[in-house]
Amino acid sequence: MDVEALYTNIPHADGVQAVRNSIPDDATAQLVAELCEFILTHNYFRFGDNIYLQTSGTAMGTRMAPQYANIFMADLEQRFLSSRPLTPLLYLRYIDDIFIIWTHGKETLEEFHHDFNSFHPTINLSMDQSTREVHFLDTTIQISDGHINTTLYRKPTDRYTYLHASSFHPGHTTRSIVYSQALRYNRICSNPSDRDLHLQDLQQAFCKLRYPHEEVRRQIDRARRVPRSLLLRDKPKKETNRTPLAITYSPQLRKRLCK
Protein backbone atom coordinates (compact mmCIF):
# COMPACT_ATOMS: atom_id res chain seq x y z
CA MET A 1 0.00 0.00 0.00
CA ASP A 2 1.10 3.56 -0.66
CA VAL A 3 -0.09 6.67 1.19
CA GLU A 4 -1.06 9.22 -1.44
CA ALA A 5 0.68 12.62 -0.99
CA LEU A 6 1.38 11.97 2.69
CA TYR A 7 3.44 15.08 3.49
CA THR A 8 0.88 17.57 2.23
CA ASN A 9 -2.11 15.74 3.77
CA ILE A 10 -1.13 15.78 7.44
CA PRO A 11 -3.35 18.28 9.32
CA HIS A 12 -1.26 20.39 11.70
CA ALA A 13 -3.33 19.50 14.77
CA ASP A 14 -3.13 15.73 14.13
CA GLY A 15 0.57 15.79 13.30
CA VAL A 16 1.53 17.83 16.35
CA GLN A 17 -0.62 15.60 18.59
CA ALA A 18 1.14 12.51 17.20
CA VAL A 19 4.48 14.13 18.14
CA ARG A 20 3.19 14.68 21.67
CA ASN A 21 2.01 11.06 21.89
CA SER A 22 5.45 9.78 20.87
CA ILE A 23 7.38 11.50 23.69
CA PRO A 24 6.81 10.16 27.23
CA ASP A 25 8.16 13.20 29.07
CA ASP A 26 5.46 15.90 29.14
CA ALA A 27 7.83 18.87 29.27
CA THR A 28 9.92 17.61 26.36
CA ALA A 29 6.81 16.69 24.39
CA GLN A 30 5.40 20.18 24.82
CA LEU A 31 8.66 21.84 23.74
CA VAL A 32 9.07 19.67 20.63
CA ALA A 33 5.41 20.13 19.72
CA GLU A 34 5.75 23.91 19.94
CA LEU A 35 8.85 23.85 17.73
CA CYS A 36 7.05 21.69 15.15
CA GLU A 37 4.03 23.98 15.24
CA PHE A 38 6.22 27.02 14.66
CA ILE A 39 7.81 25.45 11.57
CA LEU A 40 4.46 24.26 10.21
CA THR A 41 2.76 27.64 10.61
CA HIS A 42 5.65 29.71 9.21
CA ASN A 43 6.23 27.93 5.90
CA TYR A 44 6.13 30.90 3.54
CA PHE A 45 7.19 30.64 -0.08
CA ARG A 46 7.16 32.81 -3.17
CA PHE A 47 5.71 31.92 -6.55
CA GLY A 48 6.02 34.65 -9.15
CA ASP A 49 5.18 37.94 -7.48
CA ASN A 50 3.00 36.39 -4.79
CA ILE A 51 3.91 35.14 -1.30
CA TYR A 52 2.00 32.15 0.10
CA LEU A 53 1.67 30.43 3.47
CA GLN A 54 1.15 26.66 3.50
CA THR A 55 -1.85 26.10 5.76
CA SER A 56 -1.97 22.29 5.81
CA GLY A 57 0.61 19.55 5.64
CA THR A 58 4.36 19.98 5.69
CA ALA A 59 6.72 21.15 2.97
CA MET A 60 8.50 18.38 1.08
CA GLY A 61 11.90 20.00 1.48
CA THR A 62 12.01 20.91 5.16
CA ARG A 63 14.39 18.80 7.24
CA MET A 64 11.74 17.85 9.78
CA ALA A 65 9.31 16.44 7.18
CA PRO A 66 10.44 12.76 7.02
CA GLN A 67 10.57 12.32 10.81
CA TYR A 68 7.33 14.24 11.27
CA ALA A 69 5.49 12.16 8.65
CA ASN A 70 6.95 8.97 10.10
CA ILE A 71 5.73 9.81 13.61
CA PHE A 72 2.29 10.72 12.30
CA MET A 73 1.95 7.42 10.40
CA ALA A 74 3.26 5.39 13.36
CA ASP A 75 0.62 6.95 15.61
CA LEU A 76 -2.13 6.45 13.01
CA GLU A 77 -1.31 2.83 12.21
CA GLN A 78 -0.98 1.84 15.88
CA ARG A 79 -4.45 3.18 16.62
CA PHE A 80 -5.91 1.54 13.52
CA LEU A 81 -4.28 -1.88 13.94
CA SER A 82 -5.23 -2.07 17.62
CA SER A 83 -8.88 -1.68 16.61
CA ARG A 84 -8.88 -4.54 14.06
CA PRO A 85 -10.22 -8.06 14.72
CA LEU A 86 -7.95 -9.37 11.92
CA THR A 87 -4.41 -8.05 11.42
CA PRO A 88 -1.64 -8.83 8.91
CA LEU A 89 0.79 -11.65 9.55
CA LEU A 90 3.51 -9.10 8.77
CA TYR A 91 3.23 -5.32 8.63
CA LEU A 92 6.20 -3.20 7.53
CA ARG A 93 6.33 0.48 6.60
CA TYR A 94 8.94 2.89 5.24
CA ILE A 95 7.47 6.39 5.70
CA ASP A 96 4.55 6.20 3.21
CA ASP A 97 5.14 2.74 1.67
CA ILE A 98 3.52 -0.21 3.42
CA PHE A 99 4.14 -3.93 2.88
CA ILE A 100 1.91 -6.56 4.47
CA ILE A 101 1.45 -10.31 4.32
CA TRP A 102 -2.24 -11.12 4.63
CA THR A 103 -3.46 -14.64 5.44
CA HIS A 104 -7.20 -14.12 5.97
CA GLY A 105 -8.48 -14.15 2.39
CA LYS A 106 -9.09 -11.56 -0.31
CA GLU A 107 -12.45 -10.28 0.96
CA THR A 108 -11.13 -9.43 4.41
CA LEU A 109 -8.05 -7.80 2.84
CA GLU A 110 -10.26 -5.48 0.82
CA GLU A 111 -12.27 -4.71 3.96
CA PHE A 112 -9.03 -3.98 5.83
CA HIS A 113 -7.93 -1.62 3.05
CA HIS A 114 -11.32 0.12 2.92
CA ASP A 115 -11.41 0.66 6.68
CA PHE A 116 -7.81 1.92 6.73
CA ASN A 117 -8.75 4.43 4.03
CA SER A 118 -11.75 5.56 6.10
CA PHE A 119 -9.83 5.83 9.39
CA HIS A 120 -8.54 9.36 8.74
CA PRO A 121 -10.28 12.00 6.59
CA THR A 122 -7.17 13.13 4.65
CA ILE A 123 -5.17 9.91 4.39
CA ASN A 124 -5.81 7.70 1.37
CA LEU A 125 -3.94 4.52 0.53
CA SER A 126 -3.64 2.86 -2.84
CA MET A 127 -3.16 -0.91 -2.80
CA ASP A 128 -1.46 -3.41 -5.08
CA GLN A 129 -2.21 -7.02 -4.14
CA SER A 130 -1.14 -10.36 -5.58
CA THR A 131 -0.76 -14.00 -4.62
CA ARG A 132 2.42 -14.21 -6.74
CA GLU A 133 4.49 -11.01 -6.53
CA VAL A 134 4.42 -7.37 -5.49
CA HIS A 135 6.86 -4.46 -5.74
CA PHE A 136 7.97 -2.70 -2.57
CA LEU A 137 10.48 0.17 -2.80
CA ASP A 138 13.37 -1.22 -4.90
CA THR A 139 12.46 -4.86 -4.30
CA THR A 140 10.14 -7.36 -5.97
CA ILE A 141 8.85 -9.96 -3.51
CA GLN A 142 7.82 -13.27 -5.08
CA ILE A 143 6.18 -16.44 -3.77
CA SER A 144 7.49 -19.60 -5.43
CA ASP A 145 7.02 -23.19 -4.20
CA GLY A 146 5.99 -21.98 -0.78
CA HIS A 147 9.07 -19.75 -0.37
CA ILE A 148 9.48 -15.99 -0.45
CA ASN A 149 12.16 -14.80 -2.89
CA THR A 150 13.32 -11.27 -3.58
CA THR A 151 14.80 -9.63 -6.63
CA LEU A 152 15.65 -6.13 -7.80
CA TYR A 153 12.84 -3.82 -8.91
CA ARG A 154 13.59 -0.85 -11.15
CA LYS A 155 10.90 1.64 -12.04
CA PRO A 156 10.29 2.13 -15.78
CA THR A 157 11.67 5.67 -15.44
CA ASP A 158 14.99 4.49 -13.96
CA ARG A 159 17.81 5.54 -16.31
CA TYR A 160 20.88 4.69 -14.18
CA THR A 161 21.47 8.40 -13.56
CA TYR A 162 24.52 7.98 -11.34
CA LEU A 163 27.38 10.43 -11.03
CA HIS A 164 29.30 10.71 -14.32
CA ALA A 165 32.95 9.68 -14.20
CA SER A 166 34.02 13.10 -15.52
CA SER A 167 32.56 14.81 -12.44
CA PHE A 168 35.20 16.58 -10.32
CA HIS A 169 35.08 14.15 -7.40
CA PRO A 170 37.90 12.21 -5.74
CA GLY A 171 38.47 8.67 -7.01
CA HIS A 172 37.26 7.00 -3.83
CA THR A 173 33.82 8.58 -4.35
CA THR A 174 33.26 7.09 -7.80
CA ARG A 175 34.65 3.73 -6.66
CA SER A 176 32.32 3.65 -3.66
CA ILE A 177 29.30 4.42 -5.85
CA VAL A 178 29.93 1.30 -7.91
CA TYR A 179 30.65 -0.80 -4.83
CA SER A 180 27.62 0.39 -2.84
CA GLN A 181 25.23 -0.19 -5.74
CA ALA A 182 26.61 -3.68 -6.35
CA LEU A 183 26.32 -4.35 -2.62
CA ARG A 184 22.66 -3.29 -2.75
CA TYR A 185 22.02 -5.77 -5.58
CA ASN A 186 23.72 -8.52 -3.57
CA ARG A 187 21.54 -7.70 -0.56
CA ILE A 188 18.26 -7.61 -2.47
CA CYS A 189 18.56 -10.63 -4.78
CA SER A 190 17.98 -13.94 -3.03
CA ASN A 191 19.00 -15.95 -6.14
CA PRO A 192 22.73 -15.64 -7.06
CA SER A 193 22.09 -16.26 -10.79
CA ASP A 194 19.42 -13.56 -10.86
CA ARG A 195 21.76 -11.22 -8.99
CA ASP A 196 24.55 -11.75 -11.51
CA LEU A 197 22.24 -10.86 -14.42
CA HIS A 198 21.36 -7.57 -12.73
CA LEU A 199 25.02 -6.93 -11.97
CA GLN A 200 25.86 -7.30 -15.67
CA ASP A 201 23.36 -4.53 -16.46
CA LEU A 202 24.85 -2.41 -13.70
CA GLN A 203 28.37 -2.91 -15.07
CA GLN A 204 27.31 -1.82 -18.55
CA ALA A 205 25.56 1.24 -17.10
CA PHE A 206 28.71 2.44 -15.31
CA CYS A 207 30.84 1.79 -18.38
CA LYS A 208 28.50 4.01 -20.40
CA LEU A 209 29.15 6.71 -17.79
CA ARG A 210 32.89 6.43 -18.66
CA TYR A 211 33.91 4.63 -15.47
CA PRO A 212 37.10 2.58 -16.07
CA HIS A 213 35.99 -0.91 -17.10
CA GLU A 214 38.54 -2.74 -14.97
CA GLU A 215 37.73 -0.67 -11.87
CA VAL A 216 34.00 -1.28 -12.32
CA ARG A 217 34.59 -5.02 -12.61
CA ARG A 218 36.84 -4.99 -9.55
CA GLN A 219 34.31 -3.18 -7.35
CA ILE A 220 31.42 -5.41 -8.48
CA ASP A 221 33.44 -8.57 -7.81
CA ARG A 222 34.39 -7.18 -4.41
CA ALA A 223 30.71 -6.63 -3.55
CA ARG A 224 29.73 -10.05 -4.90
CA ARG A 225 32.16 -11.77 -2.51
CA VAL A 226 30.42 -10.35 0.58
CA PRO A 227 28.14 -13.07 2.06
CA ARG A 228 24.49 -12.07 1.73
CA SER A 229 23.79 -13.33 5.27
CA LEU A 230 26.19 -10.68 6.53
CA LEU A 231 24.43 -7.94 4.53
CA LEU A 232 21.04 -8.88 5.98
CA ARG A 233 22.15 -8.44 9.59
CA ASP A 234 20.90 -5.43 11.47
CA LYS A 235 23.83 -3.12 12.19
CA PRO A 236 23.40 -0.58 14.99
CA LYS A 237 24.34 2.89 13.91
CA LYS A 238 27.61 4.10 15.39
CA GLU A 239 27.40 7.27 17.41
CA THR A 240 30.10 9.86 17.05
CA ASN A 241 30.77 13.17 18.74
CA ARG A 242 33.11 14.38 16.02
CA THR A 243 32.56 17.91 14.78
CA PRO A 244 32.62 18.00 10.97
CA LEU A 245 34.94 20.52 9.32
CA ALA A 246 34.02 21.63 5.80
CA ILE A 247 36.71 23.36 3.75
CA THR A 248 36.89 24.41 0.11
CA TYR A 249 40.04 22.43 -0.72
CA SER A 250 40.94 18.76 -0.53
CA PRO A 251 44.30 17.29 -1.60
CA GLN A 252 42.38 14.17 -2.71
CA LEU A 253 40.70 16.02 -5.57
CA ARG A 254 42.02 15.16 -9.00
CA LYS A 255 44.04 17.83 -10.72
CA ARG A 256 42.34 19.56 -13.61
CA LEU A 257 44.23 21.60 -16.15
CA CYS A 258 42.81 25.00 -17.00
CA LYS A 259 43.08 26.31 -20.57
Side-chain angles (χ1 to χ4, degrees):
M1 293 187 290
D2 179 68
V3 185
E4 298 174 359
L6 172 60
Y7 286 10
T8 54
N9 280 307
I10 304 175
H12 293 342
D14 295 348
V16 171
Q17 185 58 50
V19 171
R20 286 195 179 96
N21 296 344
S22 69
I23 302 175
D25 179 69
D26 291 341
T28 304
Q30 181 61 26
L31 173 61
V32 175
E34 289 177 3
L35 292 171
C36 289
E37 196 164 9
F38 180 85
I39 294 171
L40 293 167
T41 57
H42 289 76
N43 182 34
Y44 295 93
F45 62 95
R46 173 185 284 179
F47 183 77
D49 295 329
N50 298 316
I51 295 178
Y52 298 87
L53 170 65
Q54 185 170 349
T55 57
S56 181
T58 178
M60 297 285 288
T62 182
R63 295 183 68 177
M64 67 163 278
Q67 294 89 339
Y68 175 71
N70 207 17
I71 290 171
F72 170 78
M73 278 304 300
D75 181 79
L76 181 71
E77 69 193 10
Q78 286 170 10
R79 289 188 288 112
F80 174 71
L81 292 173
S82 64
S83 69
R84 302 301 301 171
L86 297 176
T87 55
L89 176 67
L90 178 68
Y91 181 100
L92 302 171
R93 178 179 54 82
Y94 182 76
I95 305 181
D96 58 350
D97 290 291
I98 300 170
F99 173 79
I100 71 173
I101 295 179
W102 188 262
T103 56
H104 310 294
K106 185 176 180 179
E107 283 189 17
T108 55
L109 172 61
E110 291 175 349
E111 181 183 347
F112 177 87
H113 176 232
H114 175 269
D115 292 347
F116 205 166
N117 258 338
S118 306
F119 193 69
H120 192 280
T122 64
I123 299 301
N124 294 308
L125 301 98
S126 60
M127 182 173 70
D128 178 25
Q129 58 166 308
S130 173
T131 58
R132 302 293 296 272
E133 71 171 37
V134 291
H135 305 306
F136 180 66
L137 302 177
D138 59 352
T139 304
T140 296
I141 301 98
Q142 303 166 328
I143 295 179
S144 177
D145 298 327
H147 293 85
I148 294 178
N149 299 315
T150 55
T151 186
L152 183 74
Y153 172 67
R154 292 179 55 233
K155 291 184 178 180
T157 54
D158 187 353
R159 294 293 181 269
Y160 290 114
T161 51
Y162 302 118
L163 185 73
H164 198 277
S166 63
S167 179
F168 196 53
H169 284 74
H172 68 81
T173 299
T174 52
R175 288 192 298 272
S176 67
I177 291 174
V178 179
Y179 176 70
S180 62
Q181 289 302 312
L183 211 60
R184 181 171 68 91
Y185 284 33
N186 193 7
R187 182 186 300 110
I188 290 173
C189 298
S190 56
N191 185 301
S193 299
D194 173 63
R195 174 205 63 193
D196 290 343
L197 290 175
H198 287 297
L199 285 175
Q200 288 179 14
D201 294 338
L202 184 69
Q203 183 171 345
Q204 292 175 7
F206 278 116
C207 290
K208 287 180 180 178
L209 292 171
R210 306 300 187 202
Y211 283 63
H213 290 216
E214 185 59 30
E215 188 60 47
V216 171
R217 186 194 61 77
R218 185 181 298 113
Q219 295 303 325
I220 289 178
D221 286 346
R222 177 185 164 212
R224 187 188 282 112
R225 288 194 298 269
V226 179
R228 185 168 181 263
S229 58
L230 185 64
L231 298 175
L232 294 175
R233 291 180 188 172
D234 185 24
K235 294 183 179 179
K237 192 173 182 179
K238 294 181 180 179
E239 294 186 4
T240 176
N241 294 322
R242 291 189 307 167
T243 301
L245 173 64
I247 58 176
T248 57
Y249 169 76
S250 171
Q252 294 176 317
L253 291 174
R254 291 174 293 172
K255 294 181 179 179
R256 174 168 288 183
L257 298 177
C258 298
K259 294 184 180 180

